Amino acid sequence: MFVFTKNLFTTKFSSSLLNWRFLRTMADSLVDINERITSQGNLVRSLKSQGASKEDIDKEVAKLLQLKNLKLGGSEVSGKKKDTSFTLKTPKGTKDWCDKDVVLREHIFSTVTEIFKRHGGVTLDTPVFELKEILSGKYGEDSKLIYDLKDQGGELCSLRYDLTVPFARWLAMNPKVTSIKRFHIAKVYRRDQPAMTKGRMREFYQCDFDIAGNYDPMIPDSEALKVLVEALDALEVGNYTIKLNHRKILDGIFTVCGVPDDKIRTISSAVDKLDKLPWEDVRREMVVEKGLKEEVADKIKEYVLLKGDRSLLDKLEADSLLSSNSSAVAAFNDMRLLFDYLEAFGVLDRFSFDMSLARGLDYYTGIIYEAVTEASAPKIKSSAEKKKSADPEADRSNDDSIGVGSIAAGGRYDNLVGMFAAKKNAKIPCVGISLGLERIFSILRSKIPDEDIRANDVDVFVMAFGGGKEWTGFLKERMSVCKDLWANGIKAEFLYKVKPKPRQQFDAADKFDVPFAVILGQDEFAKGSVRIKQMGLKENSDEGQLVPREEMVSVLKKLLKYD
Amino acid sequence: MFVFTKNLFTTKFSSSLLNWRFLRTMADSLVDINERITSQGNLVRSLKSQGASKEDIDKEVAKLLQLKNLKLGGSEVSGKKKDTSFTLKTPKGTKDWCDKDVVLREHIFSTVTEIFKRHGGVTLDTPVFELKEILSGKYGEDSKLIYDLKDQGGELCSLRYDLTVPFARWLAMNPKVTSIKRFHIAKVYRRDQPAMTKGRMREFYQCDFDIAGNYDPMIPDSEALKVLVEALDALEVGNYTIKLNHRKILDGIFTVCGVPDDKIRTISSAVDKLDKLPWEDVRREMVVEKGLKEEVADKIKEYVLLKGDRSLLDKLEADSLLSSNSSAVAAFNDMRLLFDYLEAFGVLDRFSFDMSLARGLDYYTGIIYEAVTEASAPKIKSSAEKKKSADPEADRSNDDSIGVGSIAAGGRYDNLVGMFAAKKNAKIPCVGISLGLERIFSILRSKIPDEDIRANDVDVFVMAFGGGKEWTGFLKERMSVCKDLWANGIKAEFLYKVKPKPRQQFDAADKFDVPFAVILGQDEFAKGSVRIKQMGLKENSDEGQLVPREEMVSVLKKLLKYD
């Protein structure tokens, strides 16, 4: 390692013309540069406090600045060196959103935002990173997927993993807020193995709507579900079903079947895989991997493959074993209310009461749900096949409705805020929905023809036609016409050329399917008129209409159906 | 360090009831757990490929899972331990946006978005982090403020520092895009010393609009500035001035005054401080810290304190020294065009041609600008004081217009995309504006009375009035009425109580200044009517109007001035 003396240091660095190549060699070995900066800083402060002469202080300040420059210069130079060799890409599992994709995404955002606001939702926007300890112990096995920021001194932080934990942290930090309907559409981060084509990303959007507060049972739950139905309907995702279950029914089932208390969550995780795996695989996981007794697993099967409409609730209530479990009985009452309320909201037919739905996250305490679509499983089954798959005994691995990812999910979580609150009794019960925006985007992107999405919103392209030596290109005139259009809220563009050709201007307008052109003809404009022409028609089939310039705005507003 | 043998390992971990306290002690010392997981995984794969018996495979799979559980369990346990002791806060320099703040912020977003779209702008959304090397060497001295992600294996990444470099990276990655008007409103990250009350944050919003492409000179530049004026006008930020300069004029000034080429950028940085420091301080920085000759500094002073309207351009052109510099002469032509175009757009009066504006960032190559507002410096000066501060010789440290932060800035940068492009000649010239949203927010937040901002958008609160033993509380009826309102796009809420009191319902509605109530009276509703009452009036001063339920929606739409 290159070691340099204080003498070399002071002589070399006070020369004002810095030799960068030399400095860079040194910079690479300058592990103690920070120490030198600190000690030079101390020297300056000490001179000042001793009332040293201005000249002396300035001299030492100059040395300090050069030291700092050296430190920075070093990293900058090596940065420049890299410029010729770096990989031009976004980080693994991330993407740029642009062009028609971003237009469709904005349509999804504005559609759901409108619905959230219609139900009194307000926005909460939290930082993209949280203190590391806020996220610790909230995500179970998935904690390993959390992105940490580098320790650059100061606090240890991690990128948010979802929007729910930051919401709970905010509620705990703001004890005056005892109730809120909040929505949040933002990116979250998971260091997962990405599968870009399947919409599994490391950076992806979540879209959450949650209702927090102490209310009469199941009323906020039913409104959250009503919001979910309205959103999926408005987005036109196609046929979908919302699977519905209650954690306390599920836990009751496990208890009466004989699952030990400390195994309930892990057995619940196994059951949750029934939408991807056949019963035999799930059973093997329970018995072989998780050490459950075979007869307990077989008893569980009798319950968890049940699904249906609200009549299934009667069947469960009539079950003598299950009705002995107080937790399950409380949940039956919840479900009865919920079905009543969903009926009042006119959305009951969208739900399937499904005992196999368990949901992975630990923090749910009440109802849980998951919306699945048929859009990516279009195969029509014969009635025999249908019957087969409705049979709880059937192997579900060939069921096409299985394996389709959920497009929305959620549930009630009454204890999460309490995990953050200073007082242990400061609980705020919550229920919420989360829409899988990227999956919904994929479904819609494949359904909507490309030509139905316009990449920009421009209504009018302002053009100049003319020729000959006298012709100026009407640049300032086009600017002035655009100024008038913009002032009236009309979206307009013109070509950034002094003397543009007609073809160039039509091409620019056609690129974004701009519906109208305002043409400044050489002679016509001189006489105070502009030509308004509808675009997208066969060339020369429409000469457009000549209107006095002062009527241009009102004619266009009528054509564009503004206000 | 605790070392355990393979024998201990296999016997202890195949017991199905895990002793967590014991395991945790071991887990703390398990530096090689990943290796063990890998080798156990290999064993399982090898057994499978050899066609081993199911029992044998299951046994080894179970061991593998227990190993994985051990690894995760360790971190989870320590996470839970922390839960009782963590600090409940957002990371330093970050904040939650909520309530009326977020409503005002959304108003700012939608206002500028509408203007960007009116000019043909399209959205580009890039990841919140970039490969570290993409950001290297782009920010000069400020590179030390970049947030890095922790090295958790794989790529090294950093949080974006601005929106410009990601935009340039995207352009370089997409060579088919030769022109675009893009806007991007998103958070950026700087590990700066935060000053929250002054709006200096570590996580803050930037709002950029840029025009990329090869066009005739100064046309996109003038439209970018027109967009800036429209945005600041629409936001009603109060009186503002946009300082304007050209890097090539400034560089010409430095050259003709005798600044050595390799000192031009650093002297330019010193000049940029003239809005915060008096000339004497800037001169000292140039001479003492940066080693500029005294006579060169004094010559610079004659130029950089000049400011005025477009007539200043004539003065500069008439300067025999400056007009000998070809770079400056080229820039004069640019400025002449720009002033013409700004006049055509009707915004010339908003600009001040100001030789002291230099801008910190290295990458600007043409015009540069910065908008400053008087909103936070309301002191009115006497005409004598005004004259004094207009005098270029005057000490500017007491000038109240100095020290007000800029609310927007930008410039032309023709070489940034080329820094990323594979072919060195693949340049895409760009010009852009960046609005300082947080500063604009602070100005507006202090100007707009709190009561003028509604925290949510709800138009109607649906209530039930009644009493006695027979009264049900009309919960399902309120749900059904809300359902009809929502279906018609009317924003509505109801209280989540089975039997709410009138006072509770009025309080809930008043909390968000909901303008109308729909009241389901016990007898009236039974007869098919609802009462529509305007809120915010003196109690009992308005009984509202009784309307048949089927007319409720149309009456409300009229009252709310929907469509």
Side-chain angles (χ1 to χ4, degrees):
Chain A
M1 189 178 149
F2 181 92
V3 177
F4 69 112
T5 63
K6 193 168 187 277
N7 194 36
L8 171 67
F9 180 74
T10 46
T11 49
K12 273 293 166 193
F13 289 96
S14 49
S15 78
S16 68
L17 198 69
L18 297 175
N19 177 335
W20 280 110
R21 191 171 302 172
F22 168 66
L23 289 183
R24 198 177 131 202
T25 314
M26 284 204 298
D28 289 340
S29 56
L30 271 178
V31 286
D32 55 351
I33 185 78
N34 287 322
E35 275 173 46
R36 288 172 185 277
I37 289 173
T38 308
S39 82
Q40 185 69 18
N42 289 339
L43 175 60
V44 169
R45 272 184 293 277
S46 122
L47 285 175
K48 281 182 181 171
S49 71
Q50 289 159 25
S53 77
K54 199 180 155 306
E55 284 78 359
D56 283 349
I57 294 175
D58 285 344
K59 218 170 92 187
E60 296 305 322
V61 166
K63 282 183 200 162
L64 177 60
L65 285 166
Q66 281 166 341
L67 265 176
K68 287 183 178 172
N69 278 339
L70 169 67
K71 183 186 167 195
L72 297 165
S75 66
E76 202 183 347
V77 170
S78 66
K80 274 179 187 156
K81 191 182 123 204
K82 275 184 192 165
D83 277 355
T84 50
S85 62
F86 61 66
T87 324
L88 200 59
K89 63 187 279 293
T90 62
K92 190 174 173 182
T94 70
K95 62 176 257 193
D96 297 315
W97 287 87
C98 58
D99 204 38
K100 299 193 174 187
D101 284 356
V102 91
V103 174
L104 176 59
R105 196 203 63 182
E106 302 263 296
H107 161 75
I108 297 174
F109 284 1
S110 62
T111 302
V112 296
T113 298
E114 195 189 321
I115 289 164
F116 295 158
K117 288 189 171 179
R118 197 185 293 160
H119 288 261
V122 297
T123 304
L124 170 69
D125 174 22
T126 63
V128 82
F129 50 82
E130 295 277 342
L131 293 181
K132 190 175 160 64
E133 56 199 5
I134 296 284
L135 305 190
S136 295
K138 305 298 181 306
Y139 302 107
E141 295 186 4
D142 289 338
S143 294
K144 64 181 183 296
L145 303 181
I146 293 174
Y147 273 99
D148 292 328
L149 293 191
K150 188 174 164 184
D151 183 359
Q152 294 170 288
E155 300 161 339
L156 295 180
C157 300
S158 304
L159 297 185
R160 63 182 166 216
Y161 184 85
D162 65 10
L163 303 175
T164 311
V165 166
F167 174 50
R169 188 265 306 148
W170 178 83
L171 279 171
M173 261 176 75
N174 293 277
K176 280 184 187 169
V177 180
T178 53
S179 68
I180 191 171
K181 291 180 191 173
R182 90 86 175 77
F183 68 93
H184 194 183
I185 304 175
K187 288 171 172 176
V188 300
Y189 299 88
R190 299 182 184 180
R191 280 184 67 255
D192 214 341
Q193 202 52 35
M196 313 276 287
T197 50
K198 291 181 185 165
R200 185 205 287 254
M201 306 283 290
R202 290 183 158 197
E203 175 184 64
F204 61 97
Y205 277 96
Q206 275 199 343
C207 171
D208 285 16
F209 176 89
D210 294 77
I211 304 174
N214 275 292
Y215 296 112
D216 282 349
M218 307 316 286
I219 310 179
D221 309 61
S222 61
E223 185 163 345
L225 288 169
K226 166 73 172 153
V227 167
L228 177 55
V229 169
E230 283 187 31
L232 296 178
D233 285 354
L235 290 170
E236 302 179 42
V237 292
N239 288 333
Y240 64 89
T241 304
I242 304 173
K243 296 195 248 175
L244 187 63
N245 201 357
H246 197 298
R247 266 282 163 90
K248 285 181 180 154
I249 296 181
L250 206 56
D251 291 357
I253 289 171
F254 295 138
T255 302
V256 300
C257 289
V259 178
D261 278 358
D262 61 352
K263 275 202 166 62
I264 283 186
R265 280 282 70 75
T266 186
I267 293 304
S268 181
S269 292
V271 166
D272 197 49
K273 293 173 187 161
L274 278 172
D275 60 346
K276 299 184 199 78
L277 299 174
W279 167 255
E280 278 313 312
D281 288 10
V282 171
R283 185 184 187 279
R284 189 177 312 123
E285 180 177 329
M286 290 176 173
V287 174
V288 180
E289 296 173 15
K290 298 183 168 169
L292 197 68
K293 285 183 195 157
E294 296 203 354
E295 60 270 30
V296 173
D298 294 336
K299 225 168 183 176
I300 289 173
K301 183 186 178 188
E302 288 170 30
Y303 291 100
V304 296
L305 296 186
L306 295 172
K307 59 179 170 178
D309 57 19
R310 70 189 295 175
S311 66
L312 175 56
L313 184 58
D314 303 324
K315 192 173 163 184
L316 295 173
E317 287 195 283
D319 185 280
S320 60
L321 197 58
L322 205 49
S323 59
S324 71
N325 181 280
S326 62
S327 165
V329 169
F332 293 153
N333 291 333
D334 279 353
M335 292 307 293
R336 195 160 294 284
L337 283 174
L338 183 67
F339 286 132
D340 272 3
Y341 298 158
L342 292 176
E343 192 171 35
F345 280 140
V347 294
L348 184 58
D349 59 332
R350 312 306 178 90
F351 293 88
S352 164
F353 191 23
D354 189 330
M355 290 300 109
S356 73
L357 179 73
R359 304 279 304 133
L361 286 170
D362 283 359
Y363 55 61
Y364 291 119
T365 55
I367 59 163
I368 45 179
Y369 32 86
E370 203 171 278
V372 289
T373 170
E374 292 164 18
S376 34
K379 194 182 154 196
I380 310 290
K381 272 169 284 188
S382 69
S383 60
E385 281 176 299
K386 268 186 191 158
K387 206 180 158 199
K388 190 182 159 200
S389 68
D391 173 10
E393 297 295 315
D395 179 326
R396 312 202 324 168
S397 62
N398 292 322
D399 185 341
D400 284 334
S401 72
I402 292 177
V404 178
S406 68
I407 52 170
R412 171 163 285 283
Y413 51 101
D414 287 347
N415 301 330
L416 191 60
V417 180
M419 284 177 77
F420 293 105
K423 296 177 197 162
K424 272 298 160 204
N425 56 350
K427 276 187 190 178
I428 301 185
C430 301
V431 63
I433 57 171
S434 183
L435 289 154
L437 280 190
E438 320 259 340
R439 285 178 181 175
I440 292 171
F441 171 84
S442 302
I443 292 171
L444 297 184
R445 193 75 180 89
S446 64
K447 273 174 69 174
I448 302 171
D450 220 43
E451 58 269 25
D452 286 5
I453 306 174
R454 275 191 65 197
N456 84 9
D457 276 350
V458 173
D459 293 320
V460 176
F461 207 96
V462 176
M463 307 179 178
F465 283 13
K469 275 188 183 171
E470 302 296 301
W471 193 53
T472 62
F474 280 152
L475 174 60
K476 287 186 215 169
E477 290 78 0
R478 283 180 281 146
M479 287 177 160
S480 170
V481 165
C482 276
K483 182 191 71 173
D484 293 347
L485 297 175
W486 294 327
N488 286 282
I490 297 173
K491 306 180 195 86
E493 284 190 295
F494 66 101
L495 200 66
Y496 293 158
K497 285 190 80 67
V498 176
K499 290 191 184 182
K501 295 186 177 65
R503 175 64 25 229
Q504 292 174 319
Q505 298 176 90
F506 278 120
D507 286 349
D510 286 342
K511 187 178 163 190
F512 289 111
D513 303 313
V514 180
F516 291 97
V518 165
I519 297 167
L520 279 54
Q522 194 164 4
D523 301 328
E524 290 167 355
F525 192 71
K527 290 177 193 153
S529 291
V530 300
R531 190 169 287 278
I532 296 174
K533 183 173 150 48
Q534 193 177 346
M535 302 284 289
L537 306 173
K538 264 190 194 165
E539 206 158 347
N540 298 323
S541 71
D542 170 40
E543 286 294 313
Q545 53 174 318
L546 199 65
V547 299
R549 181 168 166 182
E550 56 274 19
E551 288 172 25
M552 172 187 74
V553 166
S554 60
V555 171
L556 278 170
K557 278 191 175 178
K558 215 168 287 169
L559 286 168
L560 290 162
K561 301 184 180 77
Y562 275 37
D563 44 53
Chain B
M1 189 177 151
F2 183 85
V3 178
F4 69 109
T5 63
K6 195 167 184 279
N7 192 37
L8 172 66
F9 180 73
T10 46
T11 48
K12 273 292 164 191
F13 290 96
S14 50
S15 79
S16 69
L17 197 67
L18 297 175
N19 177 336
W20 279 110
R21 193 172 302 174
F22 169 66
L23 289 183
R24 199 176 132 202
T25 313
M26 283 204 296
D28 289 341
S29 56
L30 270 180
V31 285
D32 56 350
I33 185 80
N34 286 321
E35 275 173 46
R36 288 173 185 276
I37 289 172
T38 308
S39 81
Q40 184 69 19
N42 289 339
L43 175 60
V44 170
R45 271 184 295 276
S46 123
L47 285 174
K48 281 181 182 171
S49 69
Q50 289 160 24
S53 77
K54 202 180 155 304
E55 283 79 358
D56 283 347
I57 295 175
D58 284 344
K59 217 169 95 186
E60 296 306 319
V61 166
K63 283 183 199 164
L64 177 62
L65 284 165
Q66 280 166 341
L67 266 175
K68 286 184 180 173
N69 277 340
L70 169 67
K71 184 186 166 195
L72 296 164
S75 66
E76 205 185 346
V77 170
S78 66
K80 273 181 188 155
K81 193 180 120 202
K82 274 183 191 163
D83 276 356
T84 50
S85 63
F86 61 68
T87 323
L88 199 58
K89 64 188 278 294
T90 62
K92 190 173 174 184
T94 69
K95 61 176 259 192
D96 297 316
W97 286 88
C98 59
D99 204 37
K100 300 193 174 188
D101 284 354
V102 91
V103 173
L104 176 59
R105 197 204 62 182
E106 303 263 294
H107 162 74
I108 297 174
F109 284 1
S110 63
T111 302
V112 296
T113 298
E114 193 189 323
I115 290 164
F116 295 158
K117 288 189 172 179
R118 196 185 293 158
H119 288 262
V122 297
T123 304
L124 170 69
D125 174 23
T126 64
V128 84
F129 50 81
E130 295 276 343
L131 293 181
K132 189 176 161 63
E133 55 197 4
I134 296 283
L135 305 190
S136 295
K138 304 300 181 306
Y139 302 107
E141 295 186 6
D142 289 338
S143 294
K144 63 181 183 298
L145 303 180
I146 293 174
Y147 273 98
D148 292 328
L149 294 191
K150 188 174 164 185
D151 183 359
Q152 293 170 288
E155 300 161 339
L156 295 179
C157 299
S158 304
L159 296 186
R160 64 181 165 218
Y161 183 84
D162 65 10
L163 304 175
T164 312
V165 166
F167 174 50
R169 188 265 305 148
W170 178 82
L171 279 171
M173 263 175 73
N174 293 276
K176 279 185 189 168
V177 179
T178 54
S179 69
I180 190 170
K181 291 180 191 173
R182 90 87 174 75
F183 68 92
H184 193 181
I185 304 175
K187 288 171 172 177
V188 300
Y189 300 88
R190 299 184 184 178
R191 280 184 67 254
D192 214 341
Q193 202 50 33
M196 313 276 286
T197 52
K198 291 180 185 166
R200 184 204 288 255
M201 305 284 289
R202 290 183 159 198
E203 174 184 65
F204 60 97
Y205 277 96
Q206 276 200 341
C207 170
D208 285 15
F209 176 88
D210 294 78
I211 304 174
N214 276 291
Y215 296 114
D216 283 349
M218 309 316 289
I219 310 179
D221 309 62
S222 60
E223 185 162 345
L225 288 168
K226 166 72 172 154
V227 167
L228 177 55
V229 169
E230 283 186 30
L232 296 179
D233 285 355
L235 291 170
E236 302 179 43
V237 292
N239 287 333
Y240 65 90
T241 304
I242 303 173
K243 295 195 250 175
L244 188 62
N245 201 358
H246 196 299
R247 266 284 163 88
K248 284 180 181 155
I249 297 181
L250 206 57
D251 290 357
I253 289 172
F254 295 139
T255 302
V256 301
C257 290
V259 178
D261 279 358
D262 61 351
K263 275 202 165 63
I264 283 185
R265 280 282 71 76
T266 184
I267 294 303
S268 180
S269 292
V271 166
D272 198 50
K273 293 174 187 162
L274 278 172
D275 61 346
K276 298 184 199 79
L277 300 174
W279 167 254
E280 279 313 311
D281 287 9
V282 171
R283 185 183 186 278
R284 189 177 311 122
E285 178 176 332
M286 290 176 173
V287 175
V288 179
E289 295 174 15
K290 298 184 169 169
L292 197 67
K293 285 183 193 156
E294 296 204 348
E295 59 272 26
V296 174
D298 295 335
K299 226 167 179 176
I300 289 174
K301 183 186 177 189
E302 289 170 31
Y303 291 101
V304 296
L305 297 186
L306 295 171
K307 60 179 170 178
D309 57 19
R310 69 190 294 176
S311 66
L312 175 56
L313 185 57
D314 303 323
K315 195 175 161 182
L316 294 174
E317 288 195 281
D319 185 282
S320 59
L321 198 59
L322 205 50
S323 59
S324 70
N325 181 281
S326 63
S327 165
V329 170
F332 293 153
N333 292 333
D334 279 353
M335 292 307 293
R336 197 160 292 285
L337 284 175
L338 183 67
F339 287 132
D340 274 3
Y341 298 160
L342 292 176
E343 193 171 32
F345 281 140
V347 295
L348 184 57
D349 59 331
R350 312 306 177 89
F351 293 87
S352 164
F353 191 23
D354 189 330
M355 290 300 108
S356 73
L357 178 73
R359 304 282 301 135
L361 286 171
D362 284 358
Y363 54 61
Y364 290 120
T365 55
I367 59 162
I368 46 180
Y369 31 86
E370 202 171 279
V372 290
T373 171
E374 293 163 19
S376 35
K379 193 182 154 196
I380 310 291
K381 271 169 284 188
S382 69
S383 59
E385 280 177 300
K386 268 185 192 160
K387 208 183 156 196
K388 190 183 156 201
S389 66
D391 172 11
E393 297 295 313
D395 180 326
R396 311 202 326 169
S397 60
N398 292 321
D399 183 341
D400 284 334
S401 72
I402 291 178
V404 178
S406 67
I407 52 169
R412 172 161 285 284
Y413 51 102
D414 287 348
N415 301 330
L416 191 60
V417 179
M419 285 177 77
F420 293 105
K423 296 178 197 163
K424 270 299 159 202
N425 57 350
K427 277 186 187 177
I428 300 184
C430 301
V431 64
I433 57 172
S434 182
L435 289 154
L437 280 189
E438 321 259 339
R439 284 178 181 177
I440 292 170
F441 172 84
S442 303
I443 292 170
L444 298 184
R445 193 73 179 90
S446 64
K447 273 173 70 174
I448 302 172
D450 221 43
E451 58 269 27
D452 286 5
I453 306 174
R454 275 190 66 197
N456 84 8
D457 277 349
V458 172
D459 292 322
V460 176
F461 207 97
V462 176
M463 307 179 179
F465 283 12
K469 274 190 183 171
E470 302 296 301
W471 193 53
T472 61
F474 279 152
L475 174 59
K476 288 186 216 169
E477 290 78 1
R478 284 180 280 145
M479 288 176 161
S480 169
V481 166
C482 276
K483 182 192 73 170
D484 293 348
L485 296 175
W486 294 328
N488 286 282
I490 297 173
K491 306 181 195 82
E493 285 189 295
F494 66 100
L495 200 67
Y496 293 157
K497 283 189 81 69
V498 176
K499 290 191 184 182
K501 294 187 177 66
R503 174 67 22 229
Q504 292 174 320
Q505 298 175 91
F506 278 120
D507 286 349
D510 285 343
K511 187 178 164 191
F512 289 109
D513 303 314
V514 179
F516 291 97
V518 165
I519 297 167
L520 279 53
Q522 193 164 4
D523 300 328
E524 291 167 354
F525 191 72
K527 289 177 194 153
S529 291
V530 299
R531 189 170 287 277
I532 296 175
K533 183 173 151 47
Q534 192 176 347
M535 302 285 288
L537 306 172
K538 262 189 195 167
E539 207 158 345
N540 299 323
S541 71
D542 170 39
E543 286 294 315
Q545 53 174 317
L546 200 64
V547 298
R549 180 167 168 184
E550 56 274 20
E551 288 170 26
M552 172 187 72
V553 167
S554 61
V555 171
L556 278 170
K557 278 191 173 179
K558 216 170 285 171
L559 287 169
L560 291 162
K561 301 184 180 74
Y562 276 34
D563 44 52

